[in-house]
Amino acid sequence: MSNKKSYYAFEEPNGTTIEFQATSLQQAMVIKKKRAQEMGIPKEAFELTTIRKKPTMAAIGG
């Protein structure tokens, strides 16, 4: 069985978006929690906006 990753994007009300690769939604939620803590934003503020197979241009370029 292959280990396919998807790109998960989360956004919070102020417009901060985080996008990263994960193998499952469960893994994505754990990564989101860590990223939110690093940014000082409650993890509950972020909502899942997209799941895709390829990254967005913002995730690629900056």
Side-chain angles (χ1 to χ4, degrees):
M1 187 168 215
S2 66
N3 190 10
K4 300 211 176 194
K5 291 188 176 187
S6 295
Y7 290 86
Y8 294 82
F10 295 87
E11 189 171 337
E12 59 102 23
N14 292 333
T16 302
T17 302
I18 53 176
E19 182 175 349
F20 50 83
Q21 234 181 346
T23 55
S24 67
L25 181 57
Q26 183 177 4
Q27 183 186 41
M29 298 305 260
V30 171
I31 295 170
K32 175 191 78 162
K33 179 181 175 183
K34 289 179 184 177
R35 296 268 177 97
Q37 285 176 338
E38 290 170 4
M39 298 164 68
I41 300 171
K43 70 179 190 301
E44 297 81 13
F46 285 94
E47 291 189 20
L48 179 64
T49 55
T50 57
I51 301 172
R52 65 182 88 226
K53 294 296 177 192
K54 295 182 179 182
T56 61
M57 292 307 291
I60 296 169

